[in-house]
Coordinates of all heavy atoms in Angstrom, one line a residue:
M1 N 77.0 -49.3 77.1 CA 76.7 -50.6 76.4 C 76.7 -51.8 77.4 O 77.5 -51.8 78.3 CB 77.9 -50.8 75.4 CG 77.8 -52.1 74.6 SD 79.1 -52.3 73.4 CE 78.7 -51.1 72.1
T2 N 75.7 -52.6 77.1 CA 75.5 -53.7 78.0 C 76.6 -54.7 77.8 O 77.3 -54.7 76.7 CB 74.1 -54.4 77.8 OG1 74.2 -54.9 76.5 CG2 73.0 -53.4 78.0
T3 N 76.9 -55.6 78.8 CA 77.8 -56.7 78.5 C 77.5 -57.6 77.3 O 78.4 -57.9 76.5 CB 77.9 -57.6 79.8 OG1 78.3 -56.7 80.9 CG2 79.0 -58.6 79.7
T4 N 76.2 -57.9 77.2 CA 75.8 -58.7 76.0 C 76.1 -58.0 74.8 O 76.5 -58.6 73.8 CB 74.3 -59.1 76.2 OG1 74.1 -59.7 77.4 CG2 73.8 -59.9 75.0
G5 N 75.8 -56.7 74.7 CA 76.0 -55.9 73.4 C 77.4 -55.8 73.1 O 77.9 -55.9 72.0
A6 N 78.3 -55.6 74.2 CA 79.8 -55.5 74.0 C 80.3 -56.9 73.5 O 81.1 -56.9 72.6 CB 80.4 -55.2 75.3
N7 N 79.7 -58.0 74.0 CA 80.3 -59.3 73.6 C 79.8 -59.6 72.2 O 80.7 -60.1 71.4 CB 79.7 -60.4 74.5 CG 80.3 -60.4 75.9 OD1 81.4 -60.0 76.1 ND2 79.6 -61.0 76.8
A8 N 78.7 -59.2 71.8 CA 78.2 -59.3 70.4 C 79.1 -58.5 69.4 O 79.6 -58.9 68.4 CB 76.8 -59.0 70.2
A9 N 79.4 -57.3 69.9 CA 80.3 -56.4 69.1 C 81.7 -57.0 68.9 O 82.3 -57.0 67.9 CB 80.3 -55.0 69.7
V10 N 82.3 -57.5 70.0 CA 83.6 -58.1 70.0 C 83.6 -59.3 69.0 O 84.5 -59.5 68.2 CB 84.1 -58.4 71.4 CG1 85.4 -59.3 71.3 CG2 84.4 -57.2 72.2
D11 N 82.6 -60.2 69.2 CA 82.4 -61.3 68.2 C 82.5 -60.9 66.8 O 83.2 -61.4 66.0 CB 81.1 -62.1 68.5 CG 81.1 -62.9 69.8 OD1 82.2 -63.0 70.4 OD2 80.0 -63.2 70.3
W12 N 81.7 -59.8 66.4 CA 81.6 -59.4 65.1 C 83.0 -58.8 64.7 O 83.5 -59.0 63.6 CB 80.6 -58.3 65.0 CG 80.4 -57.7 63.7 CD1 80.0 -58.3 62.5 CD2 80.8 -56.3 63.3 NE1 80.1 -57.4 61.5 CE2 80.5 -56.2 62.0 CE3 81.3 -55.2 64.1 CZ2 80.7 -54.9 61.3 CZ3 81.4 -54.0 63.5 CH2 81.1 -53.9 62.0
L13 N 83.6 -58.0 65.6 CA 84.9 -57.3 65.2 C 86.0 -58.4 65.1 O 86.8 -58.3 64.1 CB 85.3 -56.3 66.2 CG 84.4 -55.1 66.3 CD1 84.5 -54.3 67.5 CD2 84.6 -54.2 65.0
V14 N 86.2 -59.3 65.9 CA 87.3 -60.3 65.9 C 87.1 -61.2 64.7 O 88.1 -61.9 64.2 CB 87.5 -61.1 67.2 CG1 87.9 -60.2 68.3 CG2 86.4 -62.0 67.5
S15 N 85.9 -61.3 64.1 CA 85.7 -62.2 63.0 C 86.5 -61.8 61.8 O 86.7 -62.6 60.9 CB 84.2 -62.2 62.6 OG 83.8 -61.1 62.0
A16 N 87.1 -60.5 61.8 CA 87.9 -60.1 60.7 C 89.3 -60.6 60.8 O 90.0 -60.6 59.8 CB 87.9 -58.6 60.7
A17 N 89.7 -61.1 62.0 CA 91.1 -61.6 62.1 C 91.2 -63.0 61.5 O 90.2 -63.8 61.5 CB 91.4 -61.7 63.6
P18 N 92.5 -63.3 61.0 CA 92.7 -64.7 60.6 C 92.4 -65.7 61.7 O 92.0 -66.8 61.3 CB 94.1 -64.7 60.2 CG 94.5 -63.2 60.0 CD 93.6 -62.5 61.0
D19 N 92.7 -65.4 62.9 CA 92.4 -66.3 64.0 C 91.6 -65.6 65.0 O 92.2 -64.9 65.9 CB 93.8 -66.9 64.6 CG 93.6 -67.9 65.7 OD1 92.4 -68.0 66.2 OD2 94.6 -68.5 66.1
P20 N 90.3 -65.6 64.9 CA 89.5 -64.8 65.8 C 89.7 -65.0 67.3 O 89.7 -64.1 68.2 CB 88.0 -65.1 65.4 CG 88.2 -65.6 64.0 CD 89.5 -66.2 63.9
D21 N 89.9 -66.3 67.7 CA 90.1 -66.6 69.1 C 91.4 -66.1 69.6 O 91.5 -65.5 70.7 CB 90.1 -68.1 69.3 CG 88.8 -68.7 69.0 OD1 87.8 -68.0 69.3 OD2 88.7 -70.0 68.7
A22 N 92.5 -66.1 68.9 CA 93.8 -65.5 69.3 C 93.7 -64.0 69.4 O 94.2 -63.4 70.2 CB 94.9 -66.0 68.3
C23 N 93.0 -63.4 68.4 CA 92.7 -62.0 68.4 C 92.0 -61.6 69.6 O 92.4 -60.6 70.3 CB 91.9 -61.6 67.2 SG 91.7 -59.8 67.1
R24 N 91.0 -62.3 70.0 CA 90.2 -62.0 71.2 C 91.0 -62.1 72.4 O 91.0 -61.2 73.3 CB 88.9 -62.9 71.4 CG 88.1 -62.7 72.6 CD 87.1 -63.7 72.8 NE 86.1 -63.8 71.8 CZ 85.0 -62.9 71.8 NH1 84.8 -62.0 72.7 NH2 84.2 -63.0 70.8
R25 N 91.9 -63.2 72.6 CA 92.7 -63.3 73.7 C 93.7 -62.1 73.9 O 93.9 -61.6 75.0 CB 93.4 -64.6 73.7 CG 92.6 -65.8 74.0 CD 93.4 -67.1 74.2 NE 94.2 -67.4 73.0 CZ 93.7 -68.2 72.0 NH1 92.5 -68.6 72.0 NH2 94.5 -68.4 70.9
A26 N 94.4 -61.8 72.7 CA 95.3 -60.7 72.8 C 94.6 -59.4 73.1 O 95.2 -58.5 73.9 CB 96.0 -60.6 71.4
W27 N 93.4 -59.2 72.5 CA 92.7 -58.0 72.8 C 92.3 -57.9 74.3 O 92.4 -56.8 74.9 CB 91.5 -57.9 71.9 CG 90.8 -56.6 71.7 CD1 91.3 -55.4 72.2 CD2 89.7 -56.3 70.9 NE1 90.4 -54.4 71.8 CE2 89.4 -55.0 71.0 CE3 88.8 -57.2 70.2 CZ2 88.4 -54.3 70.3 CZ3 87.8 -56.6 69.5 CH2 87.5 -55.2 69.6
E28 N 91.8 -58.9 74.8 CA 91.4 -58.9 76.3 C 92.6 -58.7 77.2 O 92.4 -58.1 78.3 CB 90.7 -60.2 76.6 CG 89.4 -60.5 75.9 CD 88.3 -59.7 76.4 OE1 88.4 -59.1 77.4 OE2 87.3 -59.6 75.6
R29 N 93.8 -59.1 76.8 CA 94.9 -58.9 77.6 C 95.6 -57.6 77.4 O 96.5 -57.2 78.3 CB 95.9 -60.0 77.3 CG 95.5 -61.4 77.8 CD 96.5 -62.4 77.5 NE 95.9 -63.7 77.9 CZ 96.1 -64.8 77.1 NH1 96.7 -64.8 75.9 NH2 95.5 -65.9 77.5
N30 N 95.3 -56.8 76.4 CA 95.9 -55.6 76.1 C 95.5 -54.5 77.1 O 94.3 -54.3 77.2 CB 95.6 -55.1 74.7 CG 96.3 -53.8 74.3 OD1 96.4 -52.9 75.0 ND2 96.9 -53.8 73.1
P31 N 96.5 -53.9 77.8 CA 96.0 -52.9 78.9 C 95.4 -51.7 78.3 O 94.7 -51.0 79.0 CB 97.3 -52.6 79.6 CG 98.4 -53.0 78.7 CD 97.9 -54.2 77.8
L32 N 95.6 -51.4 77.1 CA 95.1 -50.2 76.5 C 93.7 -50.5 75.9 O 93.0 -49.6 75.5 CB 95.9 -49.7 75.4 CG 97.3 -49.2 75.8 CD1 98.2 -48.8 74.6 CD2 97.2 -48.1 76.8
G33 N 93.3 -51.8 75.8 CA 92.0 -52.2 75.2 C 91.9 -51.9 73.7 O 90.8 -51.7 73.3
V34 N 93.0 -52.0 73.0 CA 92.9 -51.8 71.5 C 93.5 -53.0 70.9 O 94.3 -53.7 71.4 CB 93.7 -50.5 71.1 CG1 93.0 -49.3 71.6 CG2 95.1 -50.5 71.5
A35 N 93.0 -53.2 69.6 CA 93.6 -54.3 68.8 C 93.6 -53.8 67.3 O 92.8 -53.1 66.8 CB 92.7 -55.5 68.8
L36 N 94.7 -54.1 66.7 CA 94.8 -53.8 65.2 C 94.3 -54.9 64.4 O 94.9 -56.0 64.5 CB 96.3 -53.4 64.9 CG 96.6 -53.0 63.5 CD1 95.8 -51.7 63.2 CD2 98.0 -52.7 63.3
L37 N 93.2 -54.8 63.8 CA 92.6 -55.8 63.0 C 93.2 -55.8 61.6 O 93.6 -54.7 61.1 CB 91.1 -55.7 62.9 CG 90.4 -55.7 64.3 CD1 89.0 -55.5 64.1 CD2 90.7 -57.0 65.0
E38 N 93.2 -56.9 60.9 CA 93.9 -57.1 59.7 C 93.3 -56.0 58.6 O 92.1 -56.0 58.4 CB 93.6 -58.5 59.1 CG 94.3 -58.7 57.8 CD 94.2 -60.2 57.3 OE1 93.8 -61.1 58.2 OE2 94.4 -60.4 56.2
A39 N 94.1 -55.3 58.1 CA 93.7 -54.2 57.1 C 93.2 -54.8 55.8 O 93.7 -55.8 55.3 CB 94.9 -53.3 56.8
G40 N 92.1 -54.4 55.3 CA 91.5 -54.8 54.0 C 90.7 -56.0 54.1 O 90.0 -56.3 53.1
R41 N 90.8 -56.8 55.1 CA 89.9 -58.1 55.1 C 88.4 -57.6 55.2 O 87.6 -58.2 54.4 CB 90.3 -59.0 56.3 CG 89.5 -60.3 56.2 CD 90.1 -61.3 57.1 NE 89.1 -62.3 57.3 CZ 89.5 -63.6 57.6 NH1 90.7 -63.9 57.7 NH2 88.5 -64.5 57.7
C42 N 88.0 -56.9 56.2 CA 86.7 -56.4 56.4 C 86.6 -54.9 56.4 O 85.7 -54.3 55.9 CB 86.0 -57.0 57.6 SG 85.8 -58.8 57.5
W43 N 87.6 -54.3 57.0 CA 87.7 -52.9 57.2 C 89.1 -52.6 57.7 O 89.8 -53.4 57.9 CB 86.7 -52.4 58.2 CG 86.8 -53.1 59.4 CD1 87.7 -52.9 60.4 CD2 86.0 -54.3 59.9 NE1 87.5 -53.9 61.4 CE2 86.5 -54.6 61.1 CE3 84.9 -54.9 59.3 CZ2 85.9 -55.8 61.8 CZ3 84.4 -55.9 60.0 CH2 84.9 -56.4 61.2
D44 N 89.4 -51.3 57.6 CA 90.8 -50.9 58.2 C 90.4 -50.1 59.4 O 89.9 -49.0 59.3 CB 91.5 -50.0 57.2 CG 91.8 -50.8 55.9 OD1 91.8 -52.0 55.9 OD2 92.0 -50.0 54.9
V45 N 90.8 -50.6 60.6 CA 90.5 -49.9 61.9 C 91.4 -50.3 63.0 O 91.8 -51.3 63.1 CB 89.0 -50.2 62.2 CG1 88.8 -51.6 62.5 CG2 88.5 -49.3 63.3
L46 N 91.7 -49.3 63.8 CA 92.3 -49.6 65.1 C 91.2 -49.5 66.2 O 90.5 -48.4 66.3 CB 93.4 -48.5 65.4 CG 94.1 -48.6 66.8 CD1 94.8 -49.9 66.9 CD2 94.9 -47.4 67.0
V47 N 90.9 -50.6 66.9 CA 89.7 -50.7 67.7 C 89.8 -50.7 69.1 O 90.4 -51.5 69.8 CB 89.0 -52.1 67.2 CG1 87.7 -52.3 67.9 CG2 89.0 -52.3 65.8
P48 N 89.1 -49.7 69.8 CA 89.0 -49.9 71.3 C 88.0 -50.9 71.6 O 87.0 -51.2 70.9 CB 88.5 -48.4 71.8 CG 88.0 -47.8 70.6 CD 88.6 -48.4 69.4
H49 N 88.2 -51.7 72.6 CA 87.4 -52.8 73.1 C 86.0 -52.2 73.5 O 85.9 -51.4 74.4 CB 88.0 -53.4 74.3 CG 87.3 -54.8 74.6 ND1 86.2 -54.9 75.1 CD2 87.8 -56.0 74.4 CE1 85.8 -56.1 75.4 NE2 86.8 -56.9 74.9
P50 N 85.0 -52.7 72.9 CA 83.6 -52.2 73.2 C 83.3 -52.6 74.6 O 83.5 -53.7 75.1 CB 82.6 -53.0 72.3 CG 83.5 -53.4 71.2 CD 84.9 -53.6 71.7
G51 N 82.7 -51.6 75.4 CA 82.3 -51.9 76.8 C 83.4 -51.9 77.8 O 83.2 -52.2 78.9
R52 N 84.6 -51.3 77.4 CA 85.7 -51.3 78.3 C 86.4 -49.9 78.2 O 86.5 -49.3 77.2 CB 86.8 -52.4 78.0 CG 87.8 -52.5 78.9 CD 88.7 -53.8 78.5 NE 90.0 -53.5 78.6 CZ 91.0 -54.3 78.1 NH1 90.7 -55.4 77.5 NH2 92.3 -54.0 78.2
A53 N 86.7 -49.3 79.4 CA 87.4 -48.0 79.5 C 88.8 -48.2 78.8 O 89.5 -49.1 79.0 CB 87.5 -47.6 80.9
T54 N 89.1 -47.2 78.0 CA 90.3 -47.3 77.2 C 91.2 -46.0 77.3 O 92.1 -45.8 76.5 CB 90.0 -47.6 75.7 OG1 89.2 -46.5 75.3 CG2 89.5 -48.9 75.5
G55 N 91.0 -45.2 78.3 CA 91.9 -44.1 78.5 C 91.9 -43.0 77.5 O 92.9 -42.5 77.0
G56 N 90.6 -42.7 77.0 CA 90.6 -41.6 76.0 C 90.2 -42.0 74.7 O 89.7 -41.2 73.8
V57 N 90.6 -43.2 74.2 CA 90.2 -43.7 72.9 C 88.7 -44.1 73.0 O 88.4 -44.9 74.0 CB 91.1 -44.9 72.5 CG1 90.7 -45.4 71.1 CG2 92.5 -44.5 72.5
R58 N 87.9 -43.8 72.0 CA 86.5 -44.1 72.2 C 86.0 -44.4 70.7 O 86.5 -43.9 69.7 CB 85.8 -43.2 72.9 CG 85.6 -41.8 72.2 CD 84.8 -40.8 73.0 NE 84.9 -39.5 72.3 CZ 84.0 -39.1 71.4 NH1 83.1 -40.0 70.9 NH2 84.1 -38.0 70.9
W59 N 84.8 -45.0 70.7 CA 84.0 -45.2 69.4 C 83.2 -43.9 69.2 O 82.7 -43.4 70.1 CB 83.1 -46.3 69.5 CG 83.8 -47.7 69.6 CD1 84.1 -48.4 70.7 CD2 84.1 -48.4 68.4 NE1 84.7 -49.6 70.2 CE2 84.7 -49.6 68.8 CE3 84.1 -48.2 67.0 CZ2 85.2 -50.6 68.0 CZ3 84.5 -49.1 66.2 CH2 85.1 -50.3 66.7
L60 N 83.2 -43.5 67.9 CA 82.2 -42.4 67.6 C 80.8 -43.0 67.7 O 79.9 -42.4 68.2 CB 82.5 -41.9 66.2 CG 83.8 -41.1 66.0 CD1 84.0 -40.8 64.5 CD2 83.8 -39.9 66.8
V61 N 80.6 -44.2 67.1 CA 79.4 -44.9 67.2 C 79.8 -46.3 67.6 O 80.4 -47.0 66.8 CB 78.7 -44.9 65.9 CG1 77.4 -45.7 66.0 CG2 78.3 -43.5 65.5
P62 N 79.5 -46.8 68.8 CA 79.9 -48.1 69.2 C 79.3 -49.2 68.3 O 78.1 -49.1 68.0 CB 79.4 -48.3 70.7 CG 79.1 -46.9 71.1 CD 78.8 -46.1 69.9
P63 N 80.1 -50.2 68.0 CA 79.5 -51.3 67.2 C 78.4 -52.1 68.0 O 78.5 -52.2 69.3 CB 80.7 -52.2 66.9 CG 81.6 -51.9 68.0 CD 81.4 -50.5 68.3
D64 N 77.5 -52.7 67.3 CA 76.5 -53.5 68.1 C 76.5 -54.9 67.8 O 75.7 -55.7 68.2 CB 75.1 -52.9 67.8 CG 74.7 -52.9 66.4 OD1 75.4 -53.5 65.6 OD2 73.6 -52.4 66.1
G65 N 77.4 -55.4 66.9 CA 77.5 -56.8 66.5 C 76.7 -57.2 65.3 O 76.7 -58.3 64.9
S66 N 75.9 -56.2 64.8 CA 75.0 -56.5 63.7 C 75.7 -56.4 62.3 O 75.2 -56.9 61.3 CB 73.8 -55.5 63.7 OG 74.3 -54.3 63.3
G67 N 76.9 -55.9 62.2 CA 77.6 -55.7 61.0 C 77.3 -54.4 60.3 O 77.8 -54.1 59.3
T68 N 76.4 -53.6 60.9 CA 76.1 -52.3 60.4 C 77.2 -51.3 60.7 O 77.7 -51.2 61.7 CB 74.8 -51.7 61.0 OG1 73.8 -52.6 60.8 CG2 74.4 -50.4 60.4
L69 N 77.7 -50.7 59.5 CA 78.8 -49.8 59.7 C 78.2 -48.4 59.9 O 77.0 -48.1 59.7 CB 79.7 -49.8 58.5 CG 80.4 -51.2 58.3 CD1 81.2 -51.1 57.0 CD2 81.3 -51.6 59.5
T70 N 79.1 -47.5 60.4 CA 78.7 -46.1 60.6 C 78.4 -45.4 59.3 O 79.1 -45.6 58.2 CB 79.9 -45.3 61.2 OG1 80.2 -46.0 62.5 CG2 79.6 -43.9 61.5
D71 N 77.4 -44.7 59.3 CA 76.9 -43.9 58.1 C 78.1 -43.0 57.7 O 78.6 -42.2 58.5 CB 75.7 -43.0 58.4 CG 75.3 -42.1 57.3 OD1 75.2 -42.5 56.2 OD2 75.2 -40.8 57.6
P72 N 78.5 -43.0 56.4 CA 79.7 -42.3 56.0 C 79.6 -40.8 56.1 O 80.5 -40.1 56.5 CB 79.9 -42.7 54.5 CG 79.0 -43.8 54.2 CD 78.1 -43.9 55.4
V73 N 78.4 -40.3 55.9 CA 78.2 -38.8 56.1 C 78.3 -38.4 57.6 O 78.9 -37.5 57.9 CB 76.8 -38.4 55.5 CG1 76.5 -37.0 55.8 CG2 76.7 -38.7 54.0
A74 N 77.7 -39.2 58.4 CA 77.8 -38.9 59.9 C 79.3 -39.0 60.4 O 79.8 -38.2 61.2 CB 77.0 -39.8 60.7
L75 N 80.0 -40.0 59.8 CA 81.4 -40.2 60.2 C 82.2 -39.0 59.7 O 83.0 -38.5 60.4 CB 81.9 -41.5 59.6 CG 83.4 -41.8 59.9 CD1 83.7 -41.9 61.3 CD2 83.9 -43.1 59.2
E76 N 82.0 -38.6 58.4 CA 82.8 -37.4 57.9 C 82.5 -36.2 58.8 O 83.5 -35.5 59.1 CB 82.5 -37.2 56.5 CG 83.3 -36.0 55.9 CD 83.1 -35.9 54.4 OE1 82.4 -36.6 53.8 OE2 83.8 -35.0 53.9
L77 N 81.3 -35.9 59.2 CA 80.9 -34.8 59.9 C 81.6 -34.9 61.3 O 82.2 -33.9 61.8 CB 79.4 -34.7 60.1 CG 78.9 -33.5 60.9 CD1 79.4 -32.2 60.5 CD2 77.4 -33.6 61.2
A78 N 81.6 -36.1 61.9 CA 82.3 -36.2 63.2 C 83.8 -36.0 63.0 O 84.4 -35.4 64.0 CB 82.0 -37.6 63.8
L79 N 84.4 -36.5 62.0 CA 85.8 -36.2 61.9 C 86.2 -34.8 61.7 O 87.1 -34.3 62.3 CB 86.4 -37.1 60.7 CG 86.3 -38.6 61.0 CD1 86.7 -39.4 59.8 CD2 87.2 -39.0 62.2
H80 N 85.4 -34.1 60.9 CA 85.5 -32.7 60.7 C 85.4 -31.9 62.0 O 86.2 -31.0 62.3 CB 84.7 -32.1 59.6 CG 85.0 -32.4 58.2 ND1 86.0 -31.8 57.6 CD2 84.5 -33.3 57.4 CE1 86.1 -32.3 56.4 NE2 85.2 -33.2 56.2
T81 N 84.4 -32.3 62.7 CA 84.2 -31.6 64.1 C 85.4 -31.9 65.0 O 85.8 -31.0 65.7 CB 82.9 -32.2 64.7 OG1 81.8 -31.9 63.8 CG2 82.6 -31.6 66.1
A82 N 85.8 -33.1 65.0 CA 87.1 -33.5 65.8 C 88.3 -32.6 65.5 O 89.0 -32.2 66.3 CB 87.3 -34.9 65.8
V83 N 88.5 -32.5 64.1 CA 89.7 -31.7 63.7 C 89.5 -30.3 64.0 O 90.5 -29.6 64.4 CB 89.8 -31.9 62.2 CG1 90.9 -30.9 61.6 CG2 90.2 -33.3 61.9
A84 N 88.3 -29.8 64.0 CA 88.1 -28.3 64.3 C 88.0 -28.0 65.8 O 88.0 -26.9 66.2 CB 86.7 -27.9 63.6
A85 N 87.9 -29.1 66.6 CA 87.8 -28.9 68.1 C 89.0 -28.2 68.6 O 90.1 -28.5 68.2 CB 87.5 -30.2 68.8
P86 N 88.9 -27.3 69.6 CA 90.0 -26.7 70.2 C 90.9 -27.7 71.0 O 90.4 -28.8 71.3 CB 89.5 -25.7 71.3 CG 88.0 -26.1 71.4 CD 87.6 -26.9 70.2
D87 N 92.2 -27.5 70.9 CA 93.1 -28.4 71.6 C 92.7 -28.5 73.0 O 92.6 -27.6 73.7 CB 94.5 -27.8 71.4 CG 95.6 -28.8 71.9 OD1 95.3 -30.0 72.0 OD2 96.7 -28.3 72.2
R88 N 92.6 -29.8 73.5 CA 92.2 -30.0 74.9 C 93.3 -30.1 75.8 O 93.4 -31.2 76.5 CB 91.3 -31.2 74.9 CG 90.0 -30.9 74.0 CD 89.1 -32.1 74.0 NE 88.1 -31.8 73.0 CZ 87.2 -32.6 72.6 NH1 87.2 -33.8 73.0 NH2 86.2 -32.3 71.7
G89 N 94.1 -29.1 75.9 CA 95.3 -29.1 76.9 C 96.5 -29.9 76.4 O 97.3 -30.2 77.2
R90 N 96.5 -30.2 75.2 CA 97.7 -31.0 74.6 C 98.7 -30.0 74.1 O 98.6 -29.1 73.6 CB 97.3 -32.0 73.6 CG 96.5 -33.0 74.3 CD 96.0 -34.0 73.2 NE 95.2 -35.0 73.9 CZ 94.4 -35.8 73.2 NH1 94.3 -35.7 71.9 NH2 93.7 -36.7 73.8

């Protein structure tokens, strides 16, 4: 993901927070690169920072800042695939 794309995605994601600027600052400072966005306002999600390495947490489909959400059928298939995947050394 390009820096511009990551910035647009972050702008879109933090817009769900009651204080988007405070959310962005906390997110940028979080060493894990995750932020818990307010449940139910726009969506319920624990978010890895787009465009930043997060130690194993990743997007199935990275956000692009357009507001388009993941196709529910593709998401369900990906989740079933993840559950069925062999344990990766854990």
Side-chain angles (χ1 to χ4, degrees):
M1 177 177 288
T2 66
T3 302
T4 303
N7 289 338
V10 170
D11 289 341
W12 177 69
L13 291 165
V14 300
S15 71
D19 183 345
D21 292 330
C23 179
R24 178 188 297 276
R25 284 190 302 273
W27 199 1
E28 294 289 344
R29 292 180 183 136
N30 185 313
L32 299 177
V34 295
L36 184 58
L37 300 177
E38 183 175 345
R41 180 167 170 153
C42 297
W43 53 79
D44 302 337
V45 66
L46 177 65
V47 186
H49 191 290
R52 187 168 137 193
T54 57
V57 178
R58 65 180 179 84
W59 288 95
L60 293 174
V61 178
D64 61 7
S66 70
T68 302
L69 299 177
T70 303
D71 172 52
V73 174
L75 178 60
E76 183 174 359
L77 178 61
L79 292 173
H80 283 285
T81 301
V83 169
D87 187 18
R88 298 179 186 169
R90 292 184 184 160

